[in-house]
Amino acid sequence: MYEVEVKVRADHASVRERLADRGAERVNAVEQEDVYYDAPHREFAETDEALRVRRERPTDAEPFAELTYKGPLVEAESKTRREIETEVAEGEAAGDILSALGFDPAATVRKERERFALDGYTVTLDSVEGLGEFVEVETEVDDEGSVEAAREAAFDVLRDLGLDPDAQIRTSYLGLLLETESEE
Amino acid sequence: MYEVEVKVRADHASVRERLADRGAERVNAVEQEDVYYDAPHREFAETDEALRVRRERPTDAEPFAELTYKGPLVEAESKTRREIETEVAEGEAAGDILSALGFDPAATVRKERERFALDGYTVTLDSVEGLGEFVEVETEVDDEGSVEAAREAAFDVLRDLGLDPDAQIRTSYLGLLLETESEE
């Protein structure tokens, strides 16, 4: 499975109006706390991988936790990566197992996300602690060959919302946070 | 949490009779497939740790999977270890995440287990593929100080079942299987 995702900084108020005009359906809202881990045997910053334990509190379901591995970019333009993920019953235990194996918590990203469905894409309004407001347009495709078309269609969704695909931010929230911290 | 566990080789037929005499309650039966992983940065055989993805099919519940870390022995006599465990929604994804991080499947242990409750202990009749029949007596205690008393009581349970605590096998099924393989 390949996640195709484009992201820009955007004031949420105007995007909300456009979403309402286009008849986008509000899916849900969630709070996410993501703890990213360093590896004892690899420099993830160099190998371009990530290992994460996410705790999520949705408005429309029970809280849950997920363990996620993100592989290196396979398609740089749209930030497409291999992603392997499973829900875990106990996020704390998953983190403890990683710590016991020598993986250390490196950074925590907290955000509130509001999700809308539009034209087969998920449009997410993100408020990220320490970073501000963003909009993500995202979908999933089964094979690498479908990535390019999905990315172009995601750009169309951005334009439709009055946003500029050229303003795309390819750095993850984690990366942006680490940049902010190193500037301080 | 500390797992206190003693194990002997034993023909199941006679133990079943004793369990019936003592009024032990049959809890359930399960099939377990355990995949143990090697680490890319540590020699688990030397550090005395283990990392496992278990897939379990119980007779009385839905199949499930667990991710488990076992730390080095804290009490050698009874094989007591720190254990950190969480159920995972997708055992295959958990294994794929470990593989992507450089952990390799090293060995697989398959067994059928029948569990009984007796005097606050779990008595398990194990039929292990490639190894034969065993009986385990097991309980959990919260602190290291309670381990010794729990171990002595587990020995009493063994005696009560007509088994000899001195015949205790401290090697794990994984270890026994690896020994068998290296002898072949």
Short mmCIF file of all heavy atoms in Angstrom, two decimals, chain B residues 95-127:
data_model
loop_
_atom_site.label_atom_id
_atom_site.label_comp_id
_atom_site.label_asym_id
_atom_site.label_seq_id
_atom_site.Cartn_x
_atom_site.Cartn_y
_atom_site.Cartn_z
N GLY B 95 5.12 -8.57 12.31
CA GLY B 95 6.31 -9.27 11.81
C GLY B 95 6.99 -8.50 10.69
O GLY B 95 8.22 -8.42 10.64
N ASP B 96 6.18 -7.91 9.80
CA ASP B 96 6.75 -7.13 8.68
C ASP B 96 7.49 -5.90 9.19
O ASP B 96 8.51 -5.51 8.63
CB ASP B 96 5.64 -6.71 7.72
CG ASP B 96 5.09 -7.88 6.89
OD1 ASP B 96 5.73 -8.95 6.90
OD2 ASP B 96 4.04 -7.71 6.26
N ILE B 97 6.95 -5.26 10.24
CA ILE B 97 7.63 -4.09 10.81
C ILE B 97 8.99 -4.51 11.38
O ILE B 97 10.01 -3.87 11.14
CB ILE B 97 6.76 -3.41 11.90
CG1 ILE B 97 5.55 -2.73 11.24
CG2 ILE B 97 7.57 -2.40 12.72
CD1 ILE B 97 4.51 -2.21 12.22
N LEU B 98 9.00 -5.62 12.13
CA LEU B 98 10.26 -6.10 12.69
C LEU B 98 11.26 -6.41 11.57
O LEU B 98 12.43 -6.04 11.65
CB LEU B 98 10.03 -7.34 13.55
CG LEU B 98 9.21 -7.09 14.83
CD1 LEU B 98 9.01 -8.40 15.59
CD2 LEU B 98 9.90 -6.07 15.73
N SER B 99 10.79 -7.07 10.51
CA SER B 99 11.68 -7.41 9.40
C SER B 99 12.24 -6.15 8.74
O SER B 99 13.43 -6.08 8.42
CB SER B 99 10.94 -8.25 8.36
OG SER B 99 10.60 -9.51 8.91
N ALA B 100 11.37 -5.14 8.55
CA ALA B 100 11.82 -3.90 7.92
C ALA B 100 12.90 -3.21 8.77
O ALA B 100 13.78 -2.54 8.25
CB ALA B 100 10.64 -2.95 7.70
N LEU B 101 12.82 -3.42 10.09
CA LEU B 101 13.81 -2.80 11.00
C LEU B 101 15.08 -3.63 11.11
O LEU B 101 16.02 -3.26 11.82
CB LEU B 101 13.19 -2.64 12.40
CG LEU B 101 12.05 -1.62 12.50
CD1 LEU B 101 11.35 -1.74 13.84
CD2 LEU B 101 12.58 -0.19 12.30
N GLY B 102 15.12 -4.78 10.41
CA GLY B 102 16.33 -5.59 10.41
C GLY B 102 16.31 -6.77 11.38
O GLY B 102 17.31 -7.46 11.56
N PHE B 103 15.15 -6.98 12.03
CA PHE B 103 14.99 -8.16 12.88
C PHE B 103 14.56 -9.32 11.98
O PHE B 103 13.60 -9.18 11.23
CB PHE B 103 13.92 -7.92 13.95
CG PHE B 103 14.31 -6.89 14.98
CD1 PHE B 103 14.25 -5.53 14.70
CD2 PHE B 103 14.74 -7.29 16.25
CE1 PHE B 103 14.61 -4.59 15.63
CE2 PHE B 103 15.10 -6.34 17.20
CZ PHE B 103 15.04 -4.99 16.89
N ASP B 104 15.27 -10.44 12.06
CA ASP B 104 14.96 -11.57 11.18
C ASP B 104 14.30 -12.71 11.94
O ASP B 104 14.71 -13.04 13.05
CB ASP B 104 16.25 -12.09 10.52
CG ASP B 104 16.77 -11.13 9.47
OD1 ASP B 104 15.94 -10.56 8.74
OD2 ASP B 104 18.00 -10.95 9.39
N PRO B 105 13.29 -13.36 11.30
CA PRO B 105 12.68 -14.54 11.92
C PRO B 105 13.77 -15.61 12.08
O PRO B 105 14.44 -15.96 11.12
CB PRO B 105 11.64 -15.00 10.89
CG PRO B 105 11.49 -13.89 9.92
CD PRO B 105 12.74 -13.07 9.97
N ALA B 106 13.97 -16.09 13.31
CA ALA B 106 15.07 -17.02 13.58
C ALA B 106 14.56 -18.44 13.77
O ALA B 106 15.22 -19.41 13.40
CB ALA B 106 15.82 -16.58 14.83
N ALA B 107 13.38 -18.59 14.37
CA ALA B 107 12.86 -19.92 14.65
C ALA B 107 11.36 -19.82 14.91
O ALA B 107 10.87 -18.77 15.32
CB ALA B 107 13.56 -20.51 15.87
N THR B 108 10.67 -20.91 14.63
CA THR B 108 9.22 -20.96 14.86
C THR B 108 8.89 -22.15 15.75
O THR B 108 9.37 -23.26 15.51
CB THR B 108 8.47 -21.08 13.52
OG1 THR B 108 8.79 -19.96 12.70
CG2 THR B 108 6.96 -21.11 13.74
N VAL B 109 8.12 -21.88 16.81
CA VAL B 109 7.70 -22.94 17.73
C VAL B 109 6.18 -23.08 17.60
O VAL B 109 5.45 -22.12 17.78
CB VAL B 109 8.06 -22.59 19.20
CG1 VAL B 109 7.60 -23.71 20.14
CG2 VAL B 109 9.56 -22.35 19.35
N ARG B 110 5.74 -24.33 17.28
CA ARG B 110 4.30 -24.58 17.17
C ARG B 110 3.90 -25.58 18.25
O ARG B 110 4.56 -26.60 18.43
CB ARG B 110 3.95 -25.16 15.80
CG ARG B 110 4.12 -24.18 14.67
CD ARG B 110 3.73 -24.78 13.32
NE ARG B 110 4.08 -23.86 12.24
CZ ARG B 110 5.28 -23.82 11.66
NH1 ARG B 110 6.23 -24.66 12.04
NH2 ARG B 110 5.53 -22.92 10.71
N LYS B 111 2.82 -25.25 18.97
CA LYS B 111 2.39 -26.18 20.01
C LYS B 111 0.88 -26.12 20.22
O LYS B 111 0.22 -25.12 19.91
CB LYS B 111 3.12 -25.92 21.31
CG LYS B 111 2.99 -24.54 21.91
CD LYS B 111 3.85 -24.47 23.18
CE LYS B 111 3.93 -23.07 23.77
NZ LYS B 111 4.53 -22.05 22.90
N GLU B 112 0.37 -27.22 20.80
CA GLU B 112 -1.00 -27.23 21.28
C GLU B 112 -0.93 -27.23 22.80
O GLU B 112 -0.16 -27.99 23.39
CB GLU B 112 -1.73 -28.49 20.78
CG GLU B 112 -1.90 -28.49 19.28
CD GLU B 112 -2.59 -29.75 18.77
OE1 GLU B 112 -3.08 -30.55 19.60
OE2 GLU B 112 -2.62 -29.92 17.55
N ARG B 113 -1.72 -26.38 23.42
CA ARG B 113 -1.69 -26.23 24.87
C ARG B 113 -3.10 -26.43 25.44
O ARG B 113 -4.06 -25.87 24.91
CB ARG B 113 -1.23 -24.83 25.28
CG ARG B 113 -0.19 -24.20 24.39
CD ARG B 113 0.42 -22.96 25.05
NE ARG B 113 1.34 -23.37 26.11
CZ ARG B 113 2.07 -22.53 26.82
NH1 ARG B 113 1.95 -21.23 26.65
NH2 ARG B 113 2.91 -22.99 27.73
N GLU B 114 -3.15 -27.17 26.52
CA GLU B 114 -4.44 -27.32 27.20
C GLU B 114 -4.24 -26.80 28.61
O GLU B 114 -3.35 -27.26 29.33
CB GLU B 114 -4.83 -28.81 27.21
CG GLU B 114 -6.27 -29.04 27.56
CD GLU B 114 -6.66 -30.52 27.42
OE1 GLU B 114 -5.83 -31.31 26.94
OE2 GLU B 114 -7.78 -30.85 27.83
N ARG B 115 -5.06 -25.84 29.01
CA ARG B 115 -4.83 -25.13 30.27
C ARG B 115 -5.85 -25.51 31.34
O ARG B 115 -7.04 -25.58 31.08
CB ARG B 115 -4.90 -23.61 30.07
CG ARG B 115 -3.81 -23.04 29.19
CD ARG B 115 -3.75 -21.52 29.40
NE ARG B 115 -2.76 -20.92 28.49
CZ ARG B 115 -3.08 -20.25 27.39
NH1 ARG B 115 -4.34 -20.08 27.05
NH2 ARG B 115 -2.13 -19.75 26.63
N PHE B 116 -5.33 -25.71 32.57
CA PHE B 116 -6.17 -26.00 33.73
C PHE B 116 -5.84 -25.01 34.83
O PHE B 116 -4.69 -24.56 34.94
CB PHE B 116 -5.90 -27.42 34.24
CG PHE B 116 -6.25 -28.49 33.25
CD1 PHE B 116 -5.36 -28.85 32.23
CD2 PHE B 116 -7.47 -29.15 33.31
CE1 PHE B 116 -5.69 -29.84 31.32
CE2 PHE B 116 -7.81 -30.14 32.39
CZ PHE B 116 -6.91 -30.49 31.40
N ALA B 117 -6.83 -24.71 35.67
CA ALA B 117 -6.62 -23.87 36.85
C ALA B 117 -6.60 -24.76 38.08
O ALA B 117 -7.50 -25.59 38.27
CB ALA B 117 -7.74 -22.83 36.97
N LEU B 118 -5.54 -24.62 38.90
CA LEU B 118 -5.41 -25.45 40.10
C LEU B 118 -4.67 -24.66 41.18
O LEU B 118 -3.52 -24.26 40.97
CB LEU B 118 -4.64 -26.74 39.76
CG LEU B 118 -4.40 -27.73 40.91
CD1 LEU B 118 -5.72 -28.28 41.43
CD2 LEU B 118 -3.48 -28.87 40.45
N ASP B 119 -5.32 -24.46 42.31
CA ASP B 119 -4.70 -23.80 43.47
C ASP B 119 -4.07 -22.45 43.12
O ASP B 119 -2.98 -22.13 43.61
CB ASP B 119 -3.61 -24.70 44.08
CG ASP B 119 -4.17 -26.04 44.54
OD1 ASP B 119 -5.40 -26.11 44.79
OD2 ASP B 119 -3.39 -27.01 44.65
N GLY B 120 -4.71 -21.66 42.26
CA GLY B 120 -4.17 -20.36 41.90
C GLY B 120 -3.08 -20.40 40.85
O GLY B 120 -2.52 -19.36 40.49
N TYR B 121 -2.76 -21.60 40.39
CA TYR B 121 -1.75 -21.74 39.34
C TYR B 121 -2.42 -22.17 38.03
O TYR B 121 -3.52 -22.74 38.04
CB TYR B 121 -0.70 -22.79 39.74
CG TYR B 121 0.32 -22.20 40.70
CD1 TYR B 121 0.00 -22.00 42.04
CD2 TYR B 121 1.56 -21.80 40.23
CE1 TYR B 121 0.91 -21.43 42.90
CE2 TYR B 121 2.48 -21.21 41.09
CZ TYR B 121 2.15 -21.04 42.42
OH TYR B 121 3.06 -20.45 43.25
N THR B 122 -1.74 -21.86 36.92
CA THR B 122 -2.17 -22.40 35.64
C THR B 122 -1.29 -23.60 35.32
O THR B 122 -0.06 -23.49 35.32
CB THR B 122 -2.03 -21.35 34.52
OG1 THR B 122 -2.84 -20.22 34.86
CG2 THR B 122 -2.48 -21.91 33.18
N VAL B 123 -1.93 -24.75 35.11
CA VAL B 123 -1.21 -25.96 34.71
C VAL B 123 -1.49 -26.17 33.22
O VAL B 123 -2.65 -26.24 32.82
CB VAL B 123 -1.67 -27.18 35.51
CG1 VAL B 123 -0.95 -28.45 35.03
CG2 VAL B 123 -1.44 -26.96 37.01
N THR B 124 -0.43 -26.24 32.44
CA THR B 124 -0.60 -26.33 30.99
C THR B 124 0.02 -27.62 30.46
O THR B 124 1.18 -27.92 30.74
CB THR B 124 0.07 -25.12 30.30
OG1 THR B 124 -0.43 -23.92 30.90
CG2 THR B 124 -0.25 -25.10 28.82
N LEU B 125 -0.79 -28.36 29.71
CA LEU B 125 -0.28 -29.56 29.03
C LEU B 125 0.11 -29.15 27.61
O LEU B 125 -0.74 -28.80 26.81
CB LEU B 125 -1.36 -30.66 28.99
CG LEU B 125 -2.06 -31.02 30.32
CD1 LEU B 125 -2.84 -32.32 30.16
CD2 LEU B 125 -1.05 -31.14 31.46
N ASP B 126 1.40 -29.19 27.34
CA ASP B 126 1.91 -28.73 26.05
C ASP B 126 2.34 -29.90 25.17
O ASP B 126 3.11 -30.77 25.61
CB ASP B 126 3.15 -27.83 26.27
CG ASP B 126 2.77 -26.43 26.70
OD1 ASP B 126 1.61 -26.03 26.48
OD2 ASP B 126 3.65 -25.73 27.24
N SER B 127 1.87 -29.90 23.93
CA SER B 127 2.39 -30.83 22.92
C SER B 127 3.13 -29.99 21.89
O SER B 127 2.50 -29.24 21.14
CB SER B 127 1.24 -31.58 22.24
OG SER B 127 0.51 -32.31 23.19
#
